[in-house]
Amino acid sequence: MSDHLPMRFYLEPSLRERAESGAHPFVKLMQETVEKFLFRVEFHDLPPSILLPDVHALCHMVKPDIPRALIFRRVYEYPFWQIEQTSERWNWDTAKATFDPARVSGDAARFYGFWQRRLFDDAVKQTRQRGYIYVPLQGRLLQKRSFQKCSPLDMIGHCLIHAPDRQIIATLHPKEAYGAAELAALETLARQNPRLEIAKGDMVRYLQDCDFVVSQNSGAAFSGLFFGKPALLFAGIDFHHIAIKANMDDLQKSFDQVAIHQPDYAAYIWWFWQSQSINAGKDDARDRIAARLRRFGWPMD
């Protein structure tokens, strides 16, 4: 074993325990793949206490400052995963790829229908348009970050201006800790605009009833694809291909476009998960893991 290359998994403690026992299916697949190519696997907790520049590493969701480190992350739902060089989903290979519905498998409709039922049961059959925009909020409501077109609060303001005939329901993220200034600004905006309602939770209900989704890059907008609800995005993300991207020079056009947008949802979900992600349940998962590692220069030959 002395000639084997060192390779470390950096994982949260609970995930590390599962992985070491072989109970995490995707980590097990990655371990089996790298061991086939003469890597010696070790398991460590995130964040790493010692950074070793000569060690190859696979890290869950966050990337330590190690030259040979890659991240792996679930692509919204199990068993779909991706291995990447950055945690910034808008810079992933998928985000830069070109989606062509004409080149999608004829199995797309069946695949889409299966995942509609698997994720949302009969809720996807009870969709309608009740005259409002669903705005699932994330964090940092007052800040415009580098990958965003504007701050989340300003995004709500754009909805009020450019969709004057629609209500806006903006929901707070259940896992975000919002500051007093953020909540005060949001409440002030709601008081000044009766068409704006601030709520929590109920994603499925809002996806069933909204006209469309407006978001920075919330996973709720991805879930909306299963309800046939188009999205207007104010930030970069990996699932942008069939969304309308906010054009800050002509936002009225962007809002007009999303209101009538009808992309091929089935073809896109098939392409995004079956073509662009690693399906851990498929027989070719190990080959696709090896291909991703090879893509970033790991010795997988």
Side-chain angles (χ1 to χ4, degrees), residues 25-26 29 79-81 277-286 289:
F26 188 62
L29 283 172
F80 305 102
W81 295 84
S277 306
I278 300 168
N279 183 340
K282 291 185 68 175
D283 292 339
D284 67 351
R286 291 179 184 82
I289 290 167

Side-chain angles (χ1 to χ4, degrees), residues 59-74:
C59 312
H60 184 231
M61 299 207 28
V62 296
K63 182 185 174 184
D65 189 17
I66 303 173
R68 295 183 176 88
L70 301 174
I71 73 155
F72 69 97
R73 180 168 181 162
R74 180 167 53 93

Side-chain angles (χ1 to χ4, degrees), residues 145-208:
R145 290 180 273 178
S146 61
F147 58 92
Q148 297 174 327
K149 300 290 185 70
C150 63
S151 73
L153 192 71
D154 286 342
M155 177 178 68
I156 297 173
H158 292 309
C159 292
L160 291 164
I161 293 169
H162 296 288
D165 297 328
R166 287 183 169 90
Q167 299 291 116
I168 293 94
I169 299 180
T171 58
L172 297 170
H173 195 288
K175 295 184 179 179
E176 286 286 347
Y178 295 100
E182 293 177 290
L183 295 175
L186 194 58
E187 290 166 3
T188 297
L189 190 62
R191 283 197 304 272
Q192 294 170 346
N193 297 275
R195 289 188 294 116
L196 172 60
E197 176 184 341
I198 309 301
K200 292 183 180 179
D202 281 338
M203 179 189 77
V204 170
R205 178 165 69 91
Y206 294 134
L207 288 176
Q208 287 178 302

Side-chain angles (χ1 to χ4, degrees), residues 270-292:
W270 188 95
W271 175 81
F272 189 77
W273 270 347
Q274 294 288 64
S275 173
Q276 296 298 303
S277 306
I278 300 168
N279 183 340
K282 291 185 68 175
D283 292 339
D284 67 351
R286 291 179 184 82
D287 291 339
R288 299 191 73 167
I289 290 167
R292 291 302 293 168

Side-chain angles (χ1 to χ4, degrees), residues 45 52 199 222:
D45 287 341
L52 301 175
F222 181 76

